[in-house]
Amino acid sequence: NYRIFFSPDNPHLQALDALEETYAKEEVILFVLAPQSGDVFTRESLGAVEWLSEEAWQITHSTRVDSVTRFQHSYANEDDIIIENLVTDALDLTDEEVEAVRTIALNEIELVSRLISKTGHVTAVASTLVLPGVASGEREAPIADTRALVAAFEERYPDIDVYLTGGAVLSTMFTEYTMAD
């Protein structure tokens, strides 16, 4: 736990503790997806993002999942404002619809350099966890779920490389590597 590097009277640690006690202790598991084709904007790649975005809800303590496919895109249709996922049923999209998704995503400030690279060669799916904060080892179940999900993803989508990062992953890796040493 990174908290061992700070004394209990450290004002920054105290501020973090107060914030987490008032709201919730959130951590993120970030799946970085790199299609070997170098292009996220294909039916197959968007379908993989869509599948992972749905499956990530099953991670223990997951309270939110963000991705380019789940991005809440809004637009006007006559007098109505429509808000919907940017991608639905990716495998059924036409070439024109895929290009429209590319144009929207790469021009959306909330997505670029956050959940999609500027060139569209990699993307991410972010699972936000809210850990109860009552016991040590609370990351074990979410990380086990994540590793199982990565294995299933790699089997299902062998042409897309997947990498993990995020606070929950880094904290677990620090512990695992320290114990290994």
Side-chain angles (χ1 to χ4, degrees):
N1 189 325
Y2 63 87
R3 292 174 184 273
I4 66 168
F5 298 111
F6 301 95
S7 66
D9 60 341
N10 180 290
H12 300 294
L13 183 59
Q14 289 176 346
L16 177 62
D17 288 341
L19 181 71
E20 289 177 349
E21 188 174 310
T22 303
Y23 298 100
K25 183 176 182 177
E26 285 188 354
E27 291 194 16
V28 172
I29 295 174
L30 193 70
F31 300 82
V32 179
L33 307 178
Q36 293 171 9
S37 69
D39 188 8
V40 168
F41 298 103
T42 66
R43 281 181 284 284
E44 296 77 16
S45 293
L46 290 171
V49 173
E50 196 172 32
W51 180 85
L52 183 60
S53 298
E54 188 61 33
E55 294 298 313
W57 280 104
Q58 304 308 310
I59 296 172
T60 303
H61 302 305
S62 181
T63 60
R64 180 183 174 108
V65 177
D66 293 302
S67 68
V68 67
T69 59
R70 291 184 47 79
F71 177 72
Q72 296 296 286
H73 175 58
S74 59
Y75 59 94
N77 183 4
E78 296 183 13
D79 289 340
D80 296 326
I81 295 178
I82 311 297
I83 302 171
E84 60 189 8
N85 287 350
L86 181 56
V87 176
T88 304
D89 300 322
L91 296 177
D92 295 331
L93 295 175
T94 65
D95 291 344
E96 293 79 19
E97 290 169 328
V98 170
E99 284 306 309
V101 168
R102 176 193 308 272
T103 300
I104 292 166
L106 293 179
N107 287 291
E108 183 57 60
I109 193 167
E110 292 179 38
L111 291 175
V112 175
S113 297
R114 181 172 174 258
L115 292 175
I116 188 100
S117 64
K118 292 178 183 179
T119 61
H121 73 291
V122 296
T123 190
V125 174
S127 175
T128 302
L129 310 176
V130 175
L131 301 175
V134 295
S136 64
E138 290 178 332
R139 290 183 194 92
E140 291 174 12
I143 294 299
D145 295 343
T146 298
R147 288 176 171 154
L149 185 52
V150 167
F153 183 90
E154 290 174 335
E155 185 175 323
R156 188 176 179 117
Y157 303 102
D159 295 333
I160 301 177
D161 298 323
V162 59
Y163 306 94
L164 291 175
T165 190
V169 174
L170 293 174
S171 292
T172 300
M173 294 296 105
F174 282 138
T175 301
E176 289 178 356
Y177 285 111
T178 300
M179 296 307 290
D181 281 351

